[in-house]
Amino acid sequence: CSFHFGGGGGGVLPSVKPKYRKVDAGDYVVLKRGDIFKAVQIQPKKKAMFEKQWFLPDTAVGQLYGSTFDVAPGGILQPRKPKDTEGSTDANEAGTDNRHILDDGKSQKLTRDDIEILKGQGLKDQEIIQQLVDNSSTFRDKTKYAQDKYIKKKKKKYENTVTILRPSCRILAMMYHGREPGKICHMRYDMLAQMLTLANIHAGSKVLVFETCAGLVLGSVMERMGGYGSVIQMFPGGGPVRAGVESFGFPAHFHDTLHEFPICHVNALLAGTLDTACKDPPAGRGQCPYFMFFFYFQAQERKVKLEEKRKKLASAAALLEGRNADGLVIASRFHPCPVLLGLIQFLSPSRPFVVYSQYKEPLIECFTKLKERGGTVNLRLTDTWLRRYQVLPNRTHPLLLMSGAGGFILSGTTVAVDDSKPANSQRAEEPAAKRQKVDGR
Amino acid sequence: MSFVEYSDLIQDGDVAIVYLGPESMMPVKVKQGAQTQTRYGVIRHSSDLIGRRYGSKVTCSKGGWVYVLHMTPELWTVNLPHRTQILYTTDIATITMMLELKPGAVVCESGTGSGSLSHAILRSIAPSGHLHTVEFHQQRAEKAEEEFKEHRVDRLVTVRNQDVCKDGFGVTGVADAVFLDIPSPWEAVRHAKAAMKRQGGRVCSFSPCIEQVQKTCEALVDQGFEELSTLEVLLRVHDVRTVYLPLPDFGPDETAPQTSVALKTTTLPREMPGHTGYLTFATKPRT
């Protein structure tokens, strides 16, 4: 039975066409093999390099997302039939332990050249693996578990498949963490997950984002907002970096909710001195005589671009100056303290903020400064540990423990800033209130 | 107020959080004419709450004060009345991302329990998604339904009082994601598969015991699920404090006038919260 997304409920969004999600030219996709991911855009005749192989992703156009392909000669992607089960070793004999197995590197009778010849003959990866198994003198002495492990290892080495996935925050966060952690300030994907939830990112809110994570954090926020509400990217320098946002492959209308504001104007905006008046070109301009037009063209083009920039600035400023944003997410290589103290002023009271830092000390400083300033509650400095498990019958055990190198998070909630309250008030440390009686009822 | 949408002013019928101090909060149902007792005195809803801005400081009758916070699923999780053991924000955040929850998603969940995860799911899938939640305990199912209505999210959720292992989720072919937190999740895997969309989706099972995880993984593989991944996430809370380290006295020395150094650092609690449960994720391929 079919189901349609985006129907009913509120909002005036165009509903997404129901379709079984076929790969289309121009789509942003993620290539996957095992635990390795890579984001690419499907472009006609454009080659992609993935795991030391070249192929043409556009040969997958028309296939369903989630499909796995063999890389055929020429880089053509061919849909793979559902995998055979690993039952091929069930019938094989197996040993009970390794007491007689000599690890002398001579068990495999096929040489590297032999394998290359087999590859050249066009043998599929399963067939090559079968050849390796048949030509291994110790294979049948291994225990069943060791045989499974051997085959898994060979699969990883000789596998010639690519799976094409729709991008998502989960997949892209894992990809960046595995491939280019430096680009995302070494933010581990479970830390990103914590940030999105602690900041209560949801449809319809107005969220401020300041990040230098190649757009991953921004894109993740946008994904969780579903095209509703607005996201304002505060950016340092000349222009906002959004490469990561493209990789999400959002529908066009999502970009209508995305605004940007250069931080060099934050002080002016807070002081109320930012001038964003749109100066429309006077009416007479459009009637330039043709023969003069090409002289004016360059100047006009620049003027139009400047107008666009000014309009964008004005619309972002309009969203900000009410100081009623619903959430703030900071994840950058900049020192978080001034960023937080500056941008927190744009939040309504009783709204969450989350600051990520690769290092703990800057967040300790933020914590201290916020306590002095007042106006926040539930401040928490946290990090998470992630542990993955191998789960197999009689072979279940933890794998790597990922900790330490995932960064830290400072989270809290804004409250009305109280000028009359003394700094570092007793309340922050101890709940027992021995305050003077205020004249109330 | 809404669990899925912010508002600025406190209104009659809202469920708000009264913040008394660190680690000291309580949920309050705002009602004309009602009163709430706190250790700082009485809060009179009509005069002290209704019409005030969320985040305001409210002075109580004895002179002390509190803050009134807008409800969020995270605040609800640490303040809700427990009817069962609940899921906490650390696991909820991981689940939300790994199940790829977002506006418009259709999610099936069992068991509903105390509704901690349910409220977080509703926040993430609003305004266009739907949650089908199954709870085999009748009173808990009724209480959950009551709460969803009170919290004004009932249009986004359907509660079913049945046994998911026998009768499934009550829907087929509609879910983008399925979540299981039940004693025998392996018995519900085929129902999870049936509830999910043909084009695929994500599934998650939460279990405290590794034996449960093993059985569930077997069932997932049998039913054709792929990309199995079992993990656990642990939260560490760092306590920021100033410590004073005394300096040694090596005898008279003009260059070292101090007797101790103040240091701003963090400490960890003596016992870290350990295990909540294992999270097993998998993908249902298109069928």
Side-chain angles (χ1 to χ4, degrees), chain A residues 20 64 168 170 194 197 200 350 352 360 381-385 387 389 396 416 418 427 431 435 441, chain B residues 4 6 20 40 55 57 61 65 70 74 90 100 123 199 214 227 230-232 234 236 238 266 286:
Chain A
Y20 286 130
L64 293 169
S168 71
R170 164 183 81 94
Q194 301 301 315
T197 292
N200 193 19
S350 189
K360 205 192 339 169
L381 216 191
T382 59
D383 74 326
T384 53
W385 286 18
R387 173 169 252 182
Y389 287 77
T396 299
D418 185 11
R427 180 65 66 89
R435 294 174 62 79
R441 287 188 328 268
Chain B
V4 301
Y6 282 119
L20 301 136
Y40 304 127
K57 186 195 282 194
S61 61
W65 46 264
H70 193 290
E74 288 60 60
T90 310
E100 302 184 3
R123 173 266 313 274
Q199 64 247 42
Q214 288 176 310
E227 221 187 316
T230 299
L231 50 92
E232 65 175 336
L234 299 172
R236 257 191 341 179
H238 301 262
T266 65
R286 51 166 177 57

Side-chain angles (χ1 to χ4, degrees), chain A residues 24 37 45 72 160 205 219:
Chain A
D24 222 343
F37 301 89
K45 308 261 181 6
N160 201 29
S205 41

Side-chain angles (χ1 to χ4, degrees), chain A residues 290-323:
Chain A
Y290 267 89
F291 66 95
M292 291 287 268
F293 190 70
F294 67 93
F295 288 131
Y296 285 126
F297 186 72
Q298 277 212 333
Q300 274 291 72
E301 209 180 67
R302 241 185 53 225
K303 246 194 163 68
V304 166
K305 280 219 163 90
L306 278 173
E307 259 325 292
E308 263 177 48
K309 239 184 158 175
R310 207 202 309 262
K311 274 209 177 99
K312 278 195 174 155
L313 186 70
S315 71
L319 287 170
L320 289 168
E321 60 198 4
R323 305 203 194 190

